Amino acid sequence: MQRMHHAVEITISRYFLMIRRFGMWTAAALVFMLMLSSLALAQDESAVYEPTAGNFFVVGARTLAMGGAAIAAVNDATALIYNPAGLARITRIELGGSLTHQRTGNTSQWQFSSSSFSGPHQNNTRFGSANLALPVPTYRGSLVLGFGVNRVQSFDRTMEFSQITPGFEGDDSEEGMESEAGGLYLWSLGGAVDVSPNVSVGAAVNLWSGKDDYTWFYERTWGMPPGYVLKYDDHIVDRYSGFNAKLGVRVQPTRSIVFGGTIDSPVTLTIKEDWNYRTTEDGDVTVDEGSSEYKISLPFSIGAGVAFNLNQFTLAGDVNYTDWTQMEYKRLDDVGEANRQVKRTYRDALRLHVGAEYLIPQIGTSLRAGFYRDPLPFRSDLVGKNRSFVTAGVGFLIDQVMTLDVAWAHGSWELQNFLSQGLTEKYTADRLFVSVAYHL
Amino acid sequence: MKKRLVVLGILLTIISVSAIGCYTVLTHPMVQGEEAEAIDHTGEYYREHCTDCHGDYHNYPYGFYYGYYPNYYWSSPRWGHYYAYPWWWDRYWWDTGENHYDNETVQPPESSEKADRRRGMVPPYVPPSGSTNTPFVLPNTGTDQQSSQGQQPGTVQPTPMPKQDQEKEQPKDKKAERRRK
C-alpha cells in the first residue's frame, strides 16, 4: 500500500511533486511580485505530465518528409503503423528499416526575468523501424501480410534552468535539469486484403513495449545562511507494455484520388516503475526508493486521410483526433485524484499533416516537403506555442529493387507554468531519418 | 486482456475470410468443361492465355487488378517493377531471356509446385501475331523501352521454351481423369 501511494505521488503526479518540492522555494523569490493567494491558486492547478499522451513520433523517412501524411499515401510496409489497408498495394516482398536521429534544444525563462537560459542540446540516435511485408500470390485482388517493429513515441528531451535571485544578505542561486530518454515501440502483426477493385481493408495487432528513463536534478544555494545547500537527485524508470489493434480502410474511387480511414483501439499500458530519490539538505543525505506497478488507459484515436495523385505529383493530407481527457489511470489507491488531475490538465487534440511529393522518374528521384501541427494535449493556459514541424526530404529508387529515403524535420513548441509557476520552457527539435527498403 | 485478444482474433478472422470471399482470389477459378484442355503436364489446372477469357487483360500489365497506375510506369518501367510487379511473376535465375538451355551445364530444375504456380501466373499479355509463346515482361530492364504492343511497360519477349519440354511427351493427365470421375 505504501508503495502504491508512492506511485501515485511520484509517477502519476511526477510534475505535481516537482512543483511542490521545487515551487515552495521559488515562491520565496516571487513573493514580492505575486499575491500569495494567486500563487496558492497556481499551485492547486498544477499539471500532470504523462509522457505517453500526445507524443507521436513519425515512422519512416518518406512519411516524415511528407509531413507525416500517410493514411492515404503510404506505399510501403510502414502501413502497419499508419493504415494497415495500405499494405494491400504492396506486390513484392519488402524488407525495410530506418534509423532516426533527433537533436533537441531547450531554453527556459522566468516570468519576470529579462534573460533566458539555454541548456545543452540532447542528441539521440535510435533504431526507428524494421518491417516485413509479404504479399500472398493472388490471381485477382491482393492479400498482404505484414510484421514489424516501429518506434512510435520518443521521450527524449532535456530542460535546464538557472537563475540567481538577489537576497537581503547575499544572492540565492538555483539550477535544475530535467532529462528524459526512451520511447515506445510497437510490435505489429497485420494484414490487408482487397474487398473490391478499389477498396482495401486491413488490420494490425500491436504489442506496445518501451522504457522511459527520467532524471531530475535540482540544487539551490542560499546567501543566508551562507553555504546552506538543498539538492535533489531523482531517478525514475518506467517500463511499459500493452496491446491494442488498428483497423484501416483505403478507397481509390478514381485514378487520382485515394481516401483512407483508421481507428486505433484503446490501449491499456501496464507500467512497472522503479524510483530512487536522493535528497541532500545542509549535508544530510536521505534516500527514498522503491518500485510499483500501475496501469493507464489511452483512448480511441481516429484518423482520416486523402491523397491526390496527379501522375508524378502527389499531394496528401491527414487528420488524427484523440480526446486525451478520456485517458485514465487504473489500479492506484489515489486513482480518483490522479484522474481528476488528468481531466484538469489534458484536452482533445487534432493532429494535422500535409505533404507533397514530386517524382522525377527518369533519374529515380523523389522530392518531398511537408508540414504538420501536432498540438500539445494540455489545456490552453499551459501551452505557449503549439508543436509544429516543417519537413523536407528526398528519395531514390536504386536499380528497381531498393529505395533510400532521407528526411529532415524542424519543429518547436513552448510550455508555460508547467514545471513551475512563472517558468516558460521552449523546445526545439531537429529530426533526421534515413530509411532503406529492399524488394525481393 | 486475454478475452479482448480472443474477441479481436475472431473478429479479424471473420473479416479476413469474408473479405477474401468478396473479391480477392488466390487461384484461378475452375471453368466447367474446360478441364481437359487446360491441364498442364503436371496435372495442374491452368489457362495459358488468360486473354482467352479476359479480352482486356493486357490493359493491366501488373496483374488482374483494376487499379490505377501512373503514366510514368510506361516510360520508366523500373517504378512499375518496384511498386507494382508481383514477385510471383519473377523469372528464375536460369531464365535470363536467352535460349541457353542447349548448354548442358545450365538446366532448369525439375517442375515443382512453386515453379508451376509462377509459370501459370505469367502476365497474360496478348501474344504477338504469329507467335505461339506467351510474352512476358522482362523484369530486369532498366531502360525506357516500349513493348512490342506499344503500351506495356518493359520489354516484351517470347518465352523461351525449355528444350526438354519441347521434346518431352506430355505426361498422362491422371488428375484430370480423377476430376472427370
Side-chain angles (χ1 to χ4, degrees), chain A residues 136-143 194, chain B residues 23-31 45-47 49-54 57 60 62-66 86 88-89 117 120-122 124:
Chain A
V136 176
T138 56
Y139 173 74
R140 186 183 68 183
S142 178
L143 175 63
D194 282 352
Chain B
Y23 175 69
T24 295
V25 179
L26 299 184
T27 58
H28 193 290
M30 294 289 289
V31 181
Y45 175 86
Y46 83 115
R47 299 284 306 185
H49 302 300
C50 293
T51 47
D52 292 350
C53 302
H54 309 286
Y57 209 41
Y60 308 99
Y62 299 108
F64 196 8
Y65 164 62
Y66 289 108
W88 54 93
W89 287 353
R117 178 173 217 167
M121 298 299 285
V122 164

mmCIF file of all heavy atoms in Angstrom, chain A residues 136-143 194, chain B residues 23-31 45-47 49-54 57 60 62-66 86 88-89 117 120-122 124:
data_model
loop_
_atom_site.group_PDB
_atom_site.id
_atom_site.type_symbol
_atom_site.label_atom_id
_atom_site.label_comp_id
_atom_site.label_asym_id
_atom_site.label_seq_id
_atom_site.Cartn_x
_atom_site.Cartn_y
_atom_site.Cartn_z
ATOM 1 N N VAL A 136 0.810 -12.315 -50.562
ATOM 2 C CA VAL A 136 0.443 -13.695 -50.906
ATOM 3 C C VAL A 136 0.062 -13.705 -52.393
ATOM 4 O O VAL A 136 -0.679 -12.825 -52.837
ATOM 5 C CB VAL A 136 -0.741 -14.158 -50.043
ATOM 6 C CG1 VAL A 136 -1.205 -15.545 -50.458
ATOM 7 C CG2 VAL A 136 -0.355 -14.126 -48.574
ATOM 8 N N PRO A 137 0.571 -14.672 -53.175
ATOM 9 C CA PRO A 137 0.224 -14.698 -54.595
ATOM 10 C C PRO A 137 -1.290 -14.777 -54.788
ATOM 11 O O PRO A 137 -1.959 -15.610 -54.173
ATOM 12 C CB PRO A 137 0.920 -15.974 -55.102
ATOM 13 C CG PRO A 137 2.050 -16.174 -54.171
ATOM 14 C CD PRO A 137 1.556 -15.705 -52.831
ATOM 15 N N THR A 138 -1.794 -13.907 -55.608
ATOM 16 C CA THR A 138 -3.232 -13.895 -55.878
ATOM 17 C C THR A 138 -3.476 -13.891 -57.374
ATOM 18 O O THR A 138 -2.648 -13.410 -58.158
ATOM 19 C CB THR A 138 -3.898 -12.645 -55.282
ATOM 20 O OG1 THR A 138 -3.255 -11.483 -55.800
ATOM 21 C CG2 THR A 138 -3.816 -12.633 -53.770
ATOM 22 N N TYR A 139 -4.582 -14.419 -57.755
ATOM 23 C CA TYR A 139 -4.981 -14.345 -59.154
ATOM 24 C C TYR A 139 -5.672 -13.008 -59.418
ATOM 25 O O TYR A 139 -5.507 -12.400 -60.456
ATOM 26 C CB TYR A 139 -5.924 -15.494 -59.478
ATOM 27 C CG TYR A 139 -6.512 -15.387 -60.860
ATOM 28 C CD1 TYR A 139 -5.733 -15.673 -61.980
ATOM 29 C CD2 TYR A 139 -7.828 -14.991 -61.037
ATOM 30 C CE1 TYR A 139 -6.259 -15.556 -63.244
ATOM 31 C CE2 TYR A 139 -8.363 -14.882 -62.306
ATOM 32 C CZ TYR A 139 -7.578 -15.163 -63.413
ATOM 33 O OH TYR A 139 -8.096 -15.045 -64.660
ATOM 34 N N ARG A 140 -6.444 -12.584 -58.441
ATOM 35 C CA ARG A 140 -7.140 -11.299 -58.555
ATOM 36 C C ARG A 140 -7.141 -10.651 -57.176
ATOM 37 O O ARG A 140 -7.250 -11.330 -56.162
ATOM 38 C CB ARG A 140 -8.580 -11.525 -59.028
ATOM 39 C CG ARG A 140 -9.336 -10.242 -59.301
ATOM 40 C CD ARG A 140 -10.764 -10.533 -59.691
ATOM 41 N NE ARG A 140 -11.526 -11.087 -58.567
ATOM 42 C CZ ARG A 140 -12.790 -11.493 -58.653
ATOM 43 N NH1 ARG A 140 -13.416 -11.447 -59.806
ATOM 44 N NH2 ARG A 140 -13.415 -11.965 -57.590
ATOM 45 N N GLY A 141 -7.056 -9.329 -57.149
ATOM 46 C CA GLY A 141 -7.063 -8.626 -55.877
ATOM 47 C C GLY A 141 -5.712 -8.685 -55.191
ATOM 48 O O GLY A 141 -4.669 -8.838 -55.829
ATOM 49 N N SER A 142 -5.745 -8.601 -53.864
ATOM 50 C CA SER A 142 -4.484 -8.551 -53.127
ATOM 51 C C SER A 142 -4.680 -9.071 -51.711
ATOM 52 O O SER A 142 -5.715 -8.831 -51.086
ATOM 53 C CB SER A 142 -3.975 -7.106 -53.078
ATOM 54 O OG SER A 142 -2.789 -7.025 -52.328
ATOM 55 N N LEU A 143 -3.704 -9.777 -51.226
ATOM 56 C CA LEU A 143 -3.672 -10.238 -49.843
ATOM 57 C C LEU A 143 -2.226 -10.114 -49.376
ATOM 58 O O LEU A 143 -1.340 -10.772 -49.916
ATOM 59 C CB LEU A 143 -4.150 -11.688 -49.731
ATOM 60 C CG LEU A 143 -4.038 -12.324 -48.337
ATOM 61 C CD1 LEU A 143 -4.927 -11.601 -47.330
ATOM 62 C CD2 LEU A 143 -4.412 -13.799 -48.384
ATOM 63 N N ASP A 194 -7.857 -6.865 -50.595
ATOM 64 C CA ASP A 194 -8.768 -6.115 -51.460
ATOM 65 C C ASP A 194 -10.153 -6.728 -51.337
ATOM 66 O O ASP A 194 -10.316 -7.940 -51.519
ATOM 67 C CB ASP A 194 -8.309 -6.202 -52.924
ATOM 68 C CG ASP A 194 -7.154 -5.264 -53.225
ATOM 69 O OD1 ASP A 194 -6.819 -4.445 -52.343
ATOM 70 O OD2 ASP A 194 -6.607 -5.354 -54.331
ATOM 71 N N TYR B 23 -13.737 -10.518 -53.051
ATOM 72 C CA TYR B 23 -13.096 -10.084 -54.285
ATOM 73 C C TYR B 23 -11.771 -10.791 -54.550
ATOM 74 O O TYR B 23 -11.539 -11.305 -55.647
ATOM 75 C CB TYR B 23 -12.877 -8.569 -54.233
ATOM 76 C CG TYR B 23 -12.105 -8.032 -55.407
ATOM 77 C CD1 TYR B 23 -12.670 -8.020 -56.677
ATOM 78 C CD2 TYR B 23 -10.810 -7.573 -55.245
ATOM 79 C CE1 TYR B 23 -11.964 -7.552 -57.766
ATOM 80 C CE2 TYR B 23 -10.091 -7.101 -56.324
ATOM 81 C CZ TYR B 23 -10.673 -7.091 -57.579
ATOM 82 O OH TYR B 23 -9.965 -6.641 -58.648
ATOM 83 N N THR B 24 -10.911 -10.777 -53.564
ATOM 84 C CA THR B 24 -9.574 -11.334 -53.772
ATOM 85 C C THR B 24 -9.650 -12.845 -54.008
ATOM 86 O O THR B 24 -10.288 -13.564 -53.262
ATOM 87 C CB THR B 24 -8.684 -11.024 -52.561
ATOM 88 O OG1 THR B 24 -8.500 -9.613 -52.487
ATOM 89 C CG2 THR B 24 -7.334 -11.696 -52.682
ATOM 90 N N VAL B 25 -8.988 -13.277 -55.065
ATOM 91 C CA VAL B 25 -8.996 -14.690 -55.430
ATOM 92 C C VAL B 25 -7.548 -15.164 -55.464
ATOM 93 O O VAL B 25 -6.690 -14.548 -56.100
ATOM 94 C CB VAL B 25 -9.649 -14.889 -56.821
ATOM 95 C CG1 VAL B 25 -9.623 -16.359 -57.212
ATOM 96 C CG2 VAL B 25 -11.081 -14.367 -56.799
ATOM 97 N N LEU B 26 -7.282 -16.246 -54.759
ATOM 98 C CA LEU B 26 -5.906 -16.714 -54.668
ATOM 99 C C LEU B 26 -5.503 -17.573 -55.861
ATOM 100 O O LEU B 26 -4.349 -17.593 -56.248
ATOM 101 C CB LEU B 26 -5.703 -17.493 -53.367
ATOM 102 C CG LEU B 26 -5.952 -16.701 -52.073
ATOM 103 C CD1 LEU B 26 -5.617 -17.561 -50.866
ATOM 104 C CD2 LEU B 26 -5.127 -15.422 -52.045
ATOM 105 N N THR B 27 -6.447 -18.290 -56.424
ATOM 106 C CA THR B 27 -6.119 -19.127 -57.590
ATOM 107 C C THR B 27 -7.173 -18.928 -58.669
ATOM 108 O O THR B 27 -8.293 -18.477 -58.397
ATOM 109 C CB THR B 27 -6.089 -20.610 -57.206
ATOM 110 O OG1 THR B 27 -7.362 -20.962 -56.655
ATOM 111 C CG2 THR B 27 -4.992 -20.900 -56.204
ATOM 112 N N HIS B 28 -6.818 -19.302 -59.870
ATOM 113 C CA HIS B 28 -7.758 -19.145 -60.981
ATOM 114 C C HIS B 28 -8.950 -20.066 -60.767
ATOM 115 O O HIS B 28 -8.770 -21.246 -60.460
ATOM 116 C CB HIS B 28 -7.064 -19.500 -62.296
ATOM 117 C CG HIS B 28 -7.854 -19.075 -63.493
ATOM 118 N ND1 HIS B 28 -9.022 -19.685 -63.857
ATOM 119 C CD2 HIS B 28 -7.627 -18.104 -64.407
ATOM 120 C CE1 HIS B 28 -9.499 -19.106 -64.962
ATOM 121 N NE2 HIS B 28 -8.667 -18.141 -65.310
ATOM 122 N N PRO B 29 -10.138 -19.551 -60.923
ATOM 123 C CA PRO B 29 -11.309 -20.416 -60.737
ATOM 124 C C PRO B 29 -11.413 -21.460 -61.836
ATOM 125 O O PRO B 29 -11.013 -21.224 -62.979
ATOM 126 C CB PRO B 29 -12.477 -19.426 -60.793
ATOM 127 C CG PRO B 29 -11.957 -18.258 -61.553
ATOM 128 C CD PRO B 29 -10.505 -18.171 -61.264
ATOM 129 N N MET B 30 -11.948 -22.611 -61.484
ATOM 130 C CA MET B 30 -12.163 -23.663 -62.467
ATOM 131 C C MET B 30 -13.298 -23.270 -63.405
ATOM 132 O O MET B 30 -14.274 -22.667 -62.990
ATOM 133 C CB MET B 30 -12.535 -24.966 -61.757
ATOM 134 C CG MET B 30 -11.439 -25.558 -60.897
ATOM 135 S SD MET B 30 -10.102 -26.238 -61.876
ATOM 136 C CE MET B 30 -10.920 -27.674 -62.536
ATOM 137 N N VAL B 31 -13.112 -23.631 -64.665
ATOM 138 C CA VAL B 31 -14.155 -23.366 -65.652
ATOM 139 C C VAL B 31 -14.706 -24.702 -66.102
ATOM 140 O O VAL B 31 -13.954 -25.545 -66.599
ATOM 141 C CB VAL B 31 -13.606 -22.583 -66.859
ATOM 142 C CG1 VAL B 31 -14.723 -22.311 -67.866
ATOM 143 C CG2 VAL B 31 -12.968 -21.293 -66.383
ATOM 144 N N TYR B 45 -4.304 -27.512 -63.094
ATOM 145 C CA TYR B 45 -5.209 -26.785 -63.964
ATOM 146 C C TYR B 45 -4.661 -25.380 -64.214
ATOM 147 O O TYR B 45 -4.237 -24.706 -63.290
ATOM 148 C CB TYR B 45 -6.582 -26.674 -63.306
ATOM 149 C CG TYR B 45 -7.570 -25.830 -64.059
ATOM 150 C CD1 TYR B 45 -8.343 -26.392 -65.068
ATOM 151 C CD2 TYR B 45 -7.720 -24.483 -63.782
ATOM 152 C CE1 TYR B 45 -9.253 -25.628 -65.761
ATOM 153 C CE2 TYR B 45 -8.615 -23.719 -64.471
ATOM 154 C CZ TYR B 45 -9.390 -24.289 -65.459
ATOM 155 O OH TYR B 45 -10.282 -23.511 -66.151
ATOM 156 N N TYR B 46 -4.645 -24.972 -65.434
ATOM 157 C CA TYR B 46 -4.248 -23.598 -65.723
ATOM 158 C C TYR B 46 -4.740 -23.200 -67.105
ATOM 159 O O TYR B 46 -5.130 -24.042 -67.907
ATOM 160 C CB TYR B 46 -2.728 -23.440 -65.639
ATOM 161 C CG TYR B 46 -1.987 -23.856 -66.889
ATOM 162 C CD1 TYR B 46 -1.285 -22.917 -67.636
ATOM 163 C CD2 TYR B 46 -1.994 -25.181 -67.323
ATOM 164 C CE1 TYR B 46 -0.609 -23.292 -68.777
ATOM 165 C CE2 TYR B 46 -1.324 -25.561 -68.456
ATOM 166 C CZ TYR B 46 -0.616 -24.614 -69.184
ATOM 167 O OH TYR B 46 0.046 -24.971 -70.290
ATOM 168 N N ARG B 47 -4.724 -21.915 -67.336
ATOM 169 C CA ARG B 47 -5.009 -21.410 -68.669
ATOM 170 C C ARG B 47 -3.752 -20.706 -69.138
ATOM 171 O O ARG B 47 -3.237 -19.837 -68.467
ATOM 172 C CB ARG B 47 -6.153 -20.391 -68.630
ATOM 173 C CG ARG B 47 -7.468 -20.943 -68.129
ATOM 174 C CD ARG B 47 -8.180 -21.785 -69.128
ATOM 175 N NE ARG B 47 -8.358 -21.070 -70.388
ATOM 176 C CZ ARG B 47 -9.047 -21.564 -71.419
ATOM 177 N NH1 ARG B 47 -9.594 -22.754 -71.319
ATOM 178 N NH2 ARG B 47 -9.179 -20.877 -72.529
ATOM 179 N N HIS B 49 -3.370 -18.740 -71.758
ATOM 180 C CA HIS B 49 -3.676 -17.375 -72.158
ATOM 181 C C HIS B 49 -4.954 -16.931 -71.466
ATOM 182 O O HIS B 49 -6.043 -17.306 -71.874
ATOM 183 C CB HIS B 49 -3.849 -17.281 -73.668
ATOM 184 C CG HIS B 49 -2.636 -17.735 -74.411
ATOM 185 N ND1 HIS B 49 -1.412 -17.132 -74.260
ATOM 186 C CD2 HIS B 49 -2.453 -18.750 -75.274
ATOM 187 C CE1 HIS B 49 -0.523 -17.738 -75.029
ATOM 188 N NE2 HIS B 49 -1.132 -18.731 -75.656
ATOM 189 N N CYS B 50 -4.762 -16.146 -70.414
ATOM 190 C CA CYS B 50 -5.944 -15.662 -69.718
ATOM 191 C C CYS B 50 -6.788 -14.780 -70.621
ATOM 192 O O CYS B 50 -7.974 -14.570 -70.380
ATOM 193 C CB CYS B 50 -5.538 -14.877 -68.469
ATOM 194 S SG CYS B 50 -4.765 -15.926 -67.227
ATOM 195 N N THR B 51 -6.131 -14.250 -71.655
ATOM 196 C CA THR B 51 -6.854 -13.381 -72.583
ATOM 197 C C THR B 51 -7.888 -14.154 -73.377
ATOM 198 O O THR B 51 -8.745 -13.554 -74.025
ATOM 199 C CB THR B 51 -5.875 -12.709 -73.546
ATOM 200 O OG1 THR B 51 -4.988 -13.704 -74.048
ATOM 201 C CG2 THR B 51 -5.079 -11.643 -72.832
ATOM 202 N N ASP B 52 -7.804 -15.469 -73.315
ATOM 203 C CA ASP B 52 -8.859 -16.246 -73.948
ATOM 204 C C ASP B 52 -10.216 -15.884 -73.352
ATOM 205 O O ASP B 52 -11.237 -15.895 -74.039
ATOM 206 C CB ASP B 52 -8.604 -17.739 -73.748
ATOM 207 C CG ASP B 52 -7.366 -18.191 -74.514
ATOM 208 O OD1 ASP B 52 -6.864 -17.391 -75.325
ATOM 209 O OD2 ASP B 52 -6.917 -19.329 -74.287
ATOM 210 N N CYS B 53 -10.168 -15.626 -72.052
ATOM 211 C CA CYS B 53 -11.416 -15.264 -71.372
ATOM 212 C C CYS B 53 -11.509 -13.771 -71.086
ATOM 213 O O CYS B 53 -12.588 -13.202 -71.062
ATOM 214 C CB CYS B 53 -11.539 -16.012 -70.043
ATOM 215 S SG CYS B 53 -11.478 -17.801 -70.221
ATOM 216 N N HIS B 54 -10.356 -13.192 -70.817
ATOM 217 C CA HIS B 54 -10.342 -11.786 -70.397
ATOM 218 C C HIS B 54 -9.701 -10.957 -71.500
ATOM 219 O O HIS B 54 -8.476 -10.763 -71.527
ATOM 220 C CB HIS B 54 -9.560 -11.619 -69.094
ATOM 221 C CG HIS B 54 -10.001 -12.579 -68.027
ATOM 222 N ND1 HIS B 54 -11.182 -12.436 -67.350
ATOM 223 C CD2 HIS B 54 -9.440 -13.715 -67.542
ATOM 224 C CE1 HIS B 54 -11.315 -13.431 -66.482
ATOM 225 N NE2 HIS B 54 -10.266 -14.224 -66.585
ATOM 226 N N TYR B 57 -7.349 -7.954 -70.745
ATOM 227 C CA TYR B 57 -6.355 -8.213 -69.719
ATOM 228 C C TYR B 57 -5.054 -7.445 -69.965
ATOM 229 O O TYR B 57 -4.351 -7.079 -69.018
ATOM 230 C CB TYR B 57 -6.071 -9.709 -69.672
ATOM 231 C CG TYR B 57 -5.652 -10.191 -68.313
ATOM 232 C CD1 TYR B 57 -6.280 -9.725 -67.158
ATOM 233 C CD2 TYR B 57 -4.636 -11.118 -68.177
ATOM 234 C CE1 TYR B 57 -5.907 -10.171 -65.921
ATOM 235 C CE2 TYR B 57 -4.257 -11.572 -66.928
ATOM 236 C CZ TYR B 57 -4.896 -11.105 -65.807
ATOM 237 O OH TYR B 57 -4.518 -11.551 -64.580
ATOM 238 N N TYR B 60 -3.923 -4.355 -68.081
ATOM 239 C CA TYR B 60 -3.483 -4.406 -66.692
ATOM 240 C C TYR B 60 -2.153 -5.135 -66.621
ATOM 241 O O TYR B 60 -2.105 -6.315 -66.283
ATOM 242 C CB TYR B 60 -4.544 -5.096 -65.833
ATOM 243 C CG TYR B 60 -5.899 -4.490 -66.033
ATOM 244 C CD1 TYR B 60 -6.823 -5.090 -66.881
ATOM 245 C CD2 TYR B 60 -6.222 -3.285 -65.426
ATOM 246 C CE1 TYR B 60 -8.058 -4.511 -67.093
ATOM 247 C CE2 TYR B 60 -7.447 -2.699 -65.634
ATOM 248 C CZ TYR B 60 -8.371 -3.327 -66.477
ATOM 249 O OH TYR B 60 -9.579 -2.747 -66.688
ATOM 250 N N TYR B 62 0.201 -5.208 -64.668
ATOM 251 C CA TYR B 62 0.717 -5.688 -63.390
ATOM 252 C C TYR B 62 -0.263 -6.635 -62.723
ATOM 253 O O TYR B 62 -0.277 -6.790 -61.519
ATOM 254 C CB TYR B 62 1.058 -4.511 -62.486
ATOM 255 C CG TYR B 62 2.109 -3.640 -63.108
ATOM 256 C CD1 TYR B 62 1.792 -2.387 -63.609
ATOM 257 C CD2 TYR B 62 3.409 -4.102 -63.232
ATOM 258 C CE1 TYR B 62 2.758 -1.607 -64.206
ATOM 259 C CE2 TYR B 62 4.380 -3.331 -63.827
ATOM 260 C CZ TYR B 62 4.047 -2.081 -64.318
ATOM 261 O OH TYR B 62 5.002 -1.319 -64.908
ATOM 262 N N GLY B 63 -1.114 -7.258 -63.526
ATOM 263 C CA GLY B 63 -1.983 -8.264 -62.952
ATOM 264 C C GLY B 63 -3.439 -7.948 -63.153
ATOM 265 O O GLY B 63 -3.806 -6.895 -63.682
ATOM 266 N N PHE B 64 -4.233 -8.855 -62.691
ATOM 267 C CA PHE B 64 -5.661 -8.703 -62.852
ATOM 268 C C PHE B 64 -6.145 -7.773 -61.752
ATOM 269 O O PHE B 64 -6.776 -8.175 -60.783
ATOM 270 C CB PHE B 64 -6.336 -10.065 -62.768
ATOM 271 C CG PHE B 64 -7.738 -10.052 -63.300
ATOM 272 C CD1 PHE B 64 -8.260 -8.950 -63.958
ATOM 273 C CD2 PHE B 64 -8.544 -11.155 -63.153
ATOM 274 C CE1 PHE B 64 -9.544 -8.949 -64.447
ATOM 275 C CE2 PHE B 64 -9.837 -11.179 -63.634
ATOM 276 C CZ PHE B 64 -10.339 -10.060 -64.277
ATOM 277 N N TYR B 65 -5.796 -6.535 -61.869
ATOM 278 C CA TYR B 65 -6.097 -5.534 -60.860
ATOM 279 C C TYR B 65 -6.663 -4.326 -61.575
ATOM 280 O O TYR B 65 -6.070 -3.814 -62.524
ATOM 281 C CB TYR B 65 -4.821 -5.170 -60.105
ATOM 282 C CG TYR B 65 -4.905 -3.899 -59.315
ATOM 283 C CD1 TYR B 65 -5.815 -3.775 -58.266
ATOM 284 C CD2 TYR B 65 -4.073 -2.825 -59.604
ATOM 285 C CE1 TYR B 65 -5.889 -2.608 -57.548
ATOM 286 C CE2 TYR B 65 -4.138 -1.657 -58.885
ATOM 287 C CZ TYR B 65 -5.047 -1.557 -57.860
ATOM 288 O OH TYR B 65 -5.116 -0.407 -57.144
ATOM 289 N N TYR B 66 -7.802 -3.884 -61.130
ATOM 290 C CA TYR B 66 -8.462 -2.792 -61.825
ATOM 291 C C TYR B 66 -8.032 -1.424 -61.312
ATOM 292 O O TYR B 66 -8.699 -0.452 -61.552
ATOM 293 C CB TYR B 66 -9.976 -2.934 -61.661
ATOM 294 C CG TYR B 66 -10.540 -4.094 -62.444
ATOM 295 C CD1 TYR B 66 -10.975 -5.238 -61.794
ATOM 296 C CD2 TYR B 66 -10.624 -4.034 -63.822
ATOM 297 C CE1 TYR B 66 -11.491 -6.307 -62.503
ATOM 298 C CE2 TYR B 66 -11.134 -5.098 -64.537
ATOM 299 C CZ TYR B 66 -11.573 -6.234 -63.862
ATOM 300 O OH TYR B 66 -12.069 -7.281 -64.567
ATOM 301 N N PRO B 86 4.196 -8.048 -59.387
ATOM 302 C CA PRO B 86 4.141 -9.062 -58.319
ATOM 303 C C PRO B 86 5.368 -9.969 -58.319
ATOM 304 O O PRO B 86 5.840 -10.388 -59.368
ATOM 305 C CB PRO B 86 2.883 -9.859 -58.665
ATOM 306 C CG PRO B 86 2.068 -8.952 -59.522
ATOM 307 C CD PRO B 86 3.054 -8.153 -60.300
ATOM 308 N N TRP B 88 5.635 -12.966 -57.584
ATOM 309 C CA TRP B 88 5.428 -14.348 -58.024
ATOM 310 C C TRP B 88 5.420 -14.459 -59.547
ATOM 311 O O TRP B 88 5.237 -15.537 -60.079
ATOM 312 C CB TRP B 88 4.158 -14.935 -57.428
ATOM 313 C CG TRP B 88 2.898 -14.140 -57.661
ATOM 314 C CD1 TRP B 88 2.014 -14.293 -58.680
ATOM 315 C CD2 TRP B 88 2.389 -13.102 -56.837
ATOM 316 N NE1 TRP B 88 0.980 -13.414 -58.552
ATOM 317 C CE2 TRP B 88 1.188 -12.658 -57.418
ATOM 318 C CE3 TRP B 88 2.833 -12.482 -55.666
ATOM 319 C CZ2 TRP B 88 0.421 -11.630 -56.872
ATOM 320 C CZ3 TRP B 88 2.058 -11.465 -55.130
ATOM 321 C CH2 TRP B 88 0.876 -11.048 -55.717
ATOM 322 N N TRP B 89 5.612 -13.323 -60.221
ATOM 323 C CA TRP B 89 5.791 -13.378 -61.670
ATOM 324 C C TRP B 89 7.269 -13.336 -62.056
ATOM 325 O O TRP B 89 7.599 -13.314 -63.228
ATOM 326 C CB TRP B 89 5.101 -12.198 -62.340
ATOM 327 C CG TRP B 89 3.615 -12.324 -62.336
ATOM 328 C CD1 TRP B 89 2.884 -13.382 -61.936
ATOM 329 C CD2 TRP B 89 2.695 -11.332 -62.760
ATOM 330 N NE1 TRP B 89 1.553 -13.133 -62.072
ATOM 331 C CE2 TRP B 89 1.407 -11.870 -62.578
ATOM 332 C CE3 TRP B 89 2.832 -10.045 -63.260
ATOM 333 C CZ2 TRP B 89 0.265 -11.161 -62.889
ATOM 334 C CZ3 TRP B 89 1.694 -9.335 -63.575
ATOM 335 C CH2 TRP B 89 0.423 -9.891 -63.390
ATOM 336 N N ARG B 117 3.346 -22.834 -60.352
ATOM 337 C CA ARG B 117 2.469 -21.738 -59.993
ATOM 338 C C ARG B 117 2.925 -20.447 -60.660
ATOM 339 O O ARG B 117 2.147 -19.696 -61.207
ATOM 340 C CB ARG B 117 2.475 -21.562 -58.481
ATOM 341 C CG ARG B 117 1.632 -20.422 -58.032
ATOM 342 C CD ARG B 117 1.527 -20.395 -56.531
ATOM 343 N NE ARG B 117 0.208 -19.972 -56.144
ATOM 344 C CZ ARG B 117 -0.282 -20.072 -54.926
ATOM 345 N NH1 ARG B 117 0.447 -20.606 -53.991
ATOM 346 N NH2 ARG B 117 -1.476 -19.658 -54.624
ATOM 347 N N GLY B 120 2.197 -20.402 -64.270
ATOM 348 C CA GLY B 120 0.779 -20.162 -64.505
ATOM 349 C C GLY B 120 0.410 -18.707 -64.324
ATOM 350 O O GLY B 120 -0.601 -18.256 -64.834
ATOM 351 N N MET B 121 1.235 -17.964 -63.574
ATOM 352 C CA MET B 121 0.910 -16.580 -63.293
ATOM 353 C C MET B 121 1.698 -15.610 -64.147
ATOM 354 O O MET B 121 1.795 -14.440 -63.827
ATOM 355 C CB MET B 121 1.179 -16.283 -61.816
ATOM 356 C CG MET B 121 0.334 -17.100 -60.860
ATOM 357 S SD MET B 121 -1.423 -16.788 -61.067
ATOM 358 C CE MET B 121 -1.537 -15.195 -60.276
ATOM 359 N N VAL B 122 2.296 -16.089 -65.214
ATOM 360 C CA VAL B 122 2.997 -15.174 -66.114
ATOM 361 C C VAL B 122 2.016 -14.131 -66.622
ATOM 362 O O VAL B 122 0.883 -14.466 -66.951
ATOM 363 C CB VAL B 122 3.599 -15.964 -67.288
ATOM 364 C CG1 VAL B 122 3.977 -15.047 -68.424
ATOM 365 C CG2 VAL B 122 4.815 -16.736 -66.813
ATOM 366 N N PRO B 124 -0.398 -12.251 -68.520
ATOM 367 C CA PRO B 124 -1.054 -12.781 -69.714
ATOM 368 C C PRO B 124 -1.236 -11.739 -70.809
ATOM 369 O O PRO B 124 -2.349 -11.366 -71.136
ATOM 370 C CB PRO B 124 -2.383 -13.248 -69.160
ATOM 371 C CG PRO B 124 -2.655 -12.288 -68.056
ATOM 372 C CD PRO B 124 -1.350 -11.880 -67.481
#
